[in-house]
Amino acid sequence: MSKDKDKDAQGFSTRAIHFGYDPASHHGALNPPVYLNATYTFESIAQGQQRFSGEAPGYVYARVGNPTQSVLEKRLASLEGGEAAVAVASGIGAITALLWSFLESGDEIVADKTLYGCTFAFMEHGLSRFGIKVHFVDLTETDALAGAVTPQTRFVFFETPTNPNMRVINIREVAKVAHAHGARVIVDNTYGTPYLQRPLECGADFVVHSMTKYLSGHGDLIAGAIIGPADDMVTVRTVGLKDMTGAVLSAFDSFLLLRGIKTLELRMGRHCESALVLARQIESHPQVEKVYYPGLPSHPQYDLACKQMKAFGGMIALELQGGYEAGVRFMDAVQVAQRAVSLGDAETLVQHPASMTHNNYTEEERLAHGISLGLARISVGLENVEDLSADILNALDQSVG
Ligand SMILES: *Cc1c(COP(=O)(O)O)cnc(C)c1O
């Protein structure tokens, strides 16, 4: 334990590569073994009893934990600067396991008005059926939060930057107001990653991730994580994960995540560098009405992004002149970039919310969520930036009717 404590002071990539794993205790194996076990044996019934009651550490059954997953969890906690982590089967599994662990009928949540679609659906259509009220407000305005919290507010939930329009929310300010009212703060740090921003150090209580995205980095798995205080993580594991969602991450996907996270810093550096180059080029293209990228001085929260983030991330949203048709022509014209949802992969991915993720929204719902017909989203990948820029600029030219 004290050995890991010293290691907590090491640099980001050193911890991303080594933290929480000692080859000497695994036959010198450089990489953590993949423990393919559903169940664990006990030396005696006394030992089994102690493990079940939580008096003694050790594994019981893989829905609760697995040694490969444990290495991943230690590493995640270190990278986010939290006490403990629970790794689960999806980003939505992380959000639901955390909220189901603590909410009761009659409780309330304040959430930002811009959320990942399925997070919004869970809150708006799922939690509401169980007597939990969710108030959606614009959290870039701290006054809006103060007006929405009540004595029943248990959590304030938001993403920053938000999906898909890249608004940036002040974590410190929100945490101050939330804590003054006795509510705890959950930040979805999927877009930022712990390399670009650490919400717990800014006063948030919990971080959730879709590890499907940058943490995996290779588009080959679905996973999520929750990071927060150690006693709360015991509750999330034994209630939210074990009993209420069963959203267990497989040992093999834990292994792939450990492998992906080793290069997180390198990958994020490249994603950010290329995205800034592209965002500037896109902004000066005549077919483009607006670019949403926190690294551009034209972004409404540019100053905050400079303070809160190490760099500005790999996601760009843009509004095309010519609405829906222009969006479709842009999407159909890309050749290096791929037409797909998701983000954070080595491949550049482009998405057109009006025809893809949000095509079943009513016009009213779309506009309420800030999704115009000509909005496109780019997850800037790791290809050579010259090739990306030629591809995207050509597709913008082709978007003219
Ligand atoms: C993808 C995503 C999720 C959901 O994660 P899954 O791994 O797909 O379940 C939640 N929040 C954000 C910001 C996301 O991008």
mmCIF file of all heavy atoms in Angstrom, residues 90-93 95 116 119 159 163 188 190-191 210-213 222-224 343, ligand 1:
data_model
loop_
_atom_site.group_PDB
_atom_site.id
_atom_site.type_symbol
_atom_site.label_atom_id
_atom_site.label_comp_id
_atom_site.label_asym_id
_atom_site.label_seq_id
_atom_site.Cartn_x
_atom_site.Cartn_y
_atom_site.Cartn_z
ATOM 1 N N SER A 90 -20.180 -0.826 -19.144
ATOM 2 C CA SER A 90 -20.440 0.231 -20.123
ATOM 3 C C SER A 90 -20.489 1.569 -19.405
ATOM 4 O O SER A 90 -20.618 1.617 -18.171
ATOM 5 C CB SER A 90 -21.771 -0.008 -20.865
ATOM 6 O OG SER A 90 -22.868 0.204 -19.999
ATOM 7 N N GLY A 91 -20.426 2.638 -20.177
ATOM 8 C CA GLY A 91 -20.567 3.971 -19.597
ATOM 9 C C GLY A 91 -21.939 4.137 -18.954
ATOM 10 O O GLY A 91 -22.072 4.683 -17.846
ATOM 11 N N ILE A 92 -22.964 3.660 -19.631
ATOM 12 C CA ILE A 92 -24.312 3.739 -19.061
ATOM 13 C C ILE A 92 -24.397 2.849 -17.817
ATOM 14 O O ILE A 92 -25.050 3.199 -16.829
ATOM 15 C CB ILE A 92 -25.376 3.354 -20.129
ATOM 16 C CG1 ILE A 92 -25.443 4.443 -21.221
ATOM 17 C CG2 ILE A 92 -26.757 3.158 -19.497
ATOM 18 C CD1 ILE A 92 -25.841 5.840 -20.732
ATOM 19 N N GLY A 93 -23.690 1.718 -17.832
ATOM 20 C CA GLY A 93 -23.622 0.873 -16.636
ATOM 21 C C GLY A 93 -22.998 1.623 -15.461
ATOM 22 O O GLY A 93 -23.409 1.446 -14.311
ATOM 23 N N ILE A 95 -23.029 4.973 -14.961
ATOM 24 C CA ILE A 95 -23.957 6.024 -14.494
ATOM 25 C C ILE A 95 -25.118 5.392 -13.719
ATOM 26 O O ILE A 95 -25.493 5.856 -12.639
ATOM 27 C CB ILE A 95 -24.454 6.853 -15.707
ATOM 28 C CG1 ILE A 95 -23.274 7.639 -16.296
ATOM 29 C CG2 ILE A 95 -25.597 7.789 -15.304
ATOM 30 C CD1 ILE A 95 -23.516 8.194 -17.688
ATOM 31 N N TYR A 116 -25.229 13.210 -23.075
ATOM 32 C CA TYR A 116 -25.195 12.058 -23.971
ATOM 33 C C TYR A 116 -26.608 11.474 -24.040
ATOM 34 O O TYR A 116 -27.287 11.363 -23.001
ATOM 35 C CB TYR A 116 -24.183 11.053 -23.413
ATOM 36 C CG TYR A 116 -24.079 9.797 -24.216
ATOM 37 C CD1 TYR A 116 -23.378 9.764 -25.420
ATOM 38 C CD2 TYR A 116 -24.678 8.624 -23.780
ATOM 39 C CE1 TYR A 116 -23.286 8.602 -26.159
ATOM 40 C CE2 TYR A 116 -24.588 7.457 -24.521
ATOM 41 C CZ TYR A 116 -23.895 7.457 -25.707
ATOM 42 O OH TYR A 116 -23.810 6.310 -26.430
ATOM 43 N N THR A 119 -27.864 8.826 -21.556
ATOM 44 C CA THR A 119 -27.867 9.342 -20.183
ATOM 45 C C THR A 119 -29.139 10.160 -19.981
ATOM 46 O O THR A 119 -29.826 10.035 -18.955
ATOM 47 C CB THR A 119 -26.639 10.248 -19.938
ATOM 48 O OG1 THR A 119 -25.467 9.543 -20.324
ATOM 49 C CG2 THR A 119 -26.538 10.666 -18.486
ATOM 50 N N GLU A 159 -21.637 16.723 -17.943
ATOM 51 C CA GLU A 159 -20.458 16.403 -18.750
ATOM 52 C C GLU A 159 -19.742 17.721 -19.008
ATOM 53 O O GLU A 159 -20.383 18.755 -19.098
ATOM 54 C CB GLU A 159 -20.886 15.845 -20.124
ATOM 55 C CG GLU A 159 -21.768 14.629 -20.041
ATOM 56 C CD GLU A 159 -22.513 14.351 -21.365
ATOM 57 O OE1 GLU A 159 -22.277 15.047 -22.374
ATOM 58 O OE2 GLU A 159 -23.332 13.421 -21.353
ATOM 59 N N ASN A 163 -21.538 16.799 -24.791
ATOM 60 C CA ASN A 163 -21.785 16.128 -26.060
ATOM 61 C C ASN A 163 -23.130 16.607 -26.618
ATOM 62 O O ASN A 163 -24.114 16.533 -25.903
ATOM 63 C CB ASN A 163 -21.841 14.614 -25.793
ATOM 64 C CG ASN A 163 -22.312 13.843 -26.994
ATOM 65 O OD1 ASN A 163 -21.693 13.846 -28.029
ATOM 66 N ND2 ASN A 163 -23.457 13.192 -26.871
ATOM 67 N N ASP A 188 -19.192 13.484 -15.771
ATOM 68 C CA ASP A 188 -18.879 12.523 -16.825
ATOM 69 C C ASP A 188 -17.647 13.063 -17.550
ATOM 70 O O ASP A 188 -17.728 14.051 -18.281
ATOM 71 C CB ASP A 188 -20.080 12.381 -17.767
ATOM 72 C CG ASP A 188 -19.840 11.366 -18.885
ATOM 73 O OD1 ASP A 188 -18.670 11.147 -19.254
ATOM 74 O OD2 ASP A 188 -20.829 10.802 -19.396
ATOM 75 N N THR A 190 -15.752 11.621 -19.819
ATOM 76 C CA THR A 190 -15.439 10.861 -21.033
ATOM 77 C C THR A 190 -14.704 11.710 -22.068
ATOM 78 O O THR A 190 -13.719 11.271 -22.656
ATOM 79 C CB THR A 190 -16.746 10.313 -21.650
ATOM 80 O OG1 THR A 190 -17.385 9.462 -20.698
ATOM 81 C CG2 THR A 190 -16.482 9.540 -22.921
ATOM 82 N N TYR A 191 -15.191 12.936 -22.310
ATOM 83 C CA TYR A 191 -14.568 13.773 -23.337
ATOM 84 C C TYR A 191 -13.203 14.284 -22.890
ATOM 85 O O TYR A 191 -12.307 14.448 -23.706
ATOM 86 C CB TYR A 191 -15.466 14.983 -23.656
ATOM 87 C CG TYR A 191 -16.461 14.751 -24.756
ATOM 88 C CD1 TYR A 191 -17.159 13.547 -24.851
ATOM 89 C CD2 TYR A 191 -16.722 15.730 -25.709
ATOM 90 C CE1 TYR A 191 -18.083 13.344 -25.850
ATOM 91 C CE2 TYR A 191 -17.651 15.530 -26.718
ATOM 92 C CZ TYR A 191 -18.332 14.331 -26.784
ATOM 93 O OH TYR A 191 -19.244 14.131 -27.787
ATOM 94 N N SER A 210 -17.303 6.716 -19.895
ATOM 95 C CA SER A 210 -17.472 5.669 -20.881
ATOM 96 C C SER A 210 -16.052 5.327 -21.316
ATOM 97 O O SER A 210 -15.426 6.086 -22.060
ATOM 98 C CB SER A 210 -18.291 6.144 -22.082
ATOM 99 O OG SER A 210 -18.180 5.173 -23.101
ATOM 100 N N MET A 211 -15.530 4.207 -20.838
ATOM 101 C CA MET A 211 -14.163 3.804 -21.218
ATOM 102 C C MET A 211 -14.133 3.245 -22.642
ATOM 103 O O MET A 211 -13.062 2.949 -23.177
ATOM 104 C CB MET A 211 -13.604 2.772 -20.230
ATOM 105 C CG MET A 211 -13.513 3.291 -18.794
ATOM 106 S SD MET A 211 -12.341 2.367 -17.784
ATOM 107 C CE MET A 211 -13.237 0.847 -17.485
ATOM 108 N N THR A 212 -15.340 3.096 -23.228
ATOM 109 C CA THR A 212 -15.465 2.715 -24.634
ATOM 110 C C THR A 212 -14.689 3.685 -25.528
ATOM 111 O O THR A 212 -14.246 3.305 -26.615
ATOM 112 C CB THR A 212 -16.961 2.792 -25.030
ATOM 113 O OG1 THR A 212 -17.734 2.098 -24.049
ATOM 114 C CG2 THR A 212 -17.210 2.219 -26.398
ATOM 115 N N LYS A 213 -14.529 4.904 -25.059
ATOM 116 C CA LYS A 213 -14.020 5.979 -25.912
ATOM 117 C C LYS A 213 -12.492 6.107 -25.757
ATOM 118 O O LYS A 213 -11.787 5.192 -26.072
ATOM 119 C CB LYS A 213 -14.764 7.267 -25.572
ATOM 120 C CG LYS A 213 -16.289 7.084 -25.384
ATOM 121 C CD LYS A 213 -17.014 6.705 -26.655
ATOM 122 C CE LYS A 213 -18.466 6.262 -26.457
ATOM 123 N NZ LYS A 213 -19.327 7.170 -25.711
ATOM 124 N N ILE A 222 -16.743 -2.186 -25.076
ATOM 125 C CA ILE A 222 -17.675 -1.286 -24.382
ATOM 126 C C ILE A 222 -17.368 -1.414 -22.892
ATOM 127 O O ILE A 222 -17.294 -2.540 -22.371
ATOM 128 C CB ILE A 222 -19.139 -1.714 -24.639
ATOM 129 C CG1 ILE A 222 -19.493 -1.657 -26.121
ATOM 130 C CG2 ILE A 222 -20.116 -0.876 -23.791
ATOM 131 C CD1 ILE A 222 -19.970 -0.350 -26.655
ATOM 132 N N ALA A 223 -17.141 -0.285 -22.211
ATOM 133 C CA ALA A 223 -16.818 -0.345 -20.785
ATOM 134 C C ALA A 223 -17.065 1.004 -20.127
ATOM 135 O O ALA A 223 -17.133 2.036 -20.803
ATOM 136 C CB ALA A 223 -15.353 -0.749 -20.586
ATOM 137 N N GLY A 224 -17.181 0.973 -18.801
ATOM 138 C CA GLY A 224 -17.384 2.209 -18.051
ATOM 139 C C GLY A 224 -16.666 2.163 -16.715
ATOM 140 O O GLY A 224 -16.148 1.102 -16.309
ATOM 141 N N LEU A 343 -16.572 7.717 -30.404
ATOM 142 C CA LEU A 343 -15.496 8.707 -30.451
ATOM 143 C C LEU A 343 -14.279 8.169 -29.710
ATOM 144 O O LEU A 343 -14.363 7.163 -29.017
ATOM 145 C CB LEU A 343 -15.967 10.015 -29.783
ATOM 146 C CG LEU A 343 -16.469 9.910 -28.334
ATOM 147 C CD1 LEU A 343 -15.544 10.639 -27.382
ATOM 148 C CD2 LEU A 343 -17.866 10.495 -28.211
HETATM 149 C C1 LIG B 1 -20.561 7.048 -25.007
HETATM 150 C C2 LIG B 1 -20.870 7.913 -23.861
HETATM 151 C C3 LIG B 1 -21.598 7.431 -22.763
HETATM 152 C C4 LIG B 1 -22.162 6.039 -22.713
HETATM 153 O O1 LIG B 1 -21.152 5.089 -22.685
HETATM 154 P P1 LIG B 1 -21.301 3.564 -23.229
HETATM 155 O O2 LIG B 1 -19.947 3.023 -22.974
HETATM 156 O O3 LIG B 1 -21.673 3.650 -24.677
HETATM 157 O O4 LIG B 1 -22.370 2.935 -22.415
HETATM 158 C C5 LIG B 1 -21.813 8.292 -21.699
HETATM 159 N N1 LIG B 1 -21.351 9.551 -21.706
HETATM 160 C C6 LIG B 1 -20.657 10.047 -22.752
HETATM 161 C C7 LIG B 1 -20.186 11.462 -22.719
HETATM 162 C C8 LIG B 1 -20.397 9.253 -23.864
HETATM 163 O O5 LIG B 1 -19.725 9.751 -24.908
#
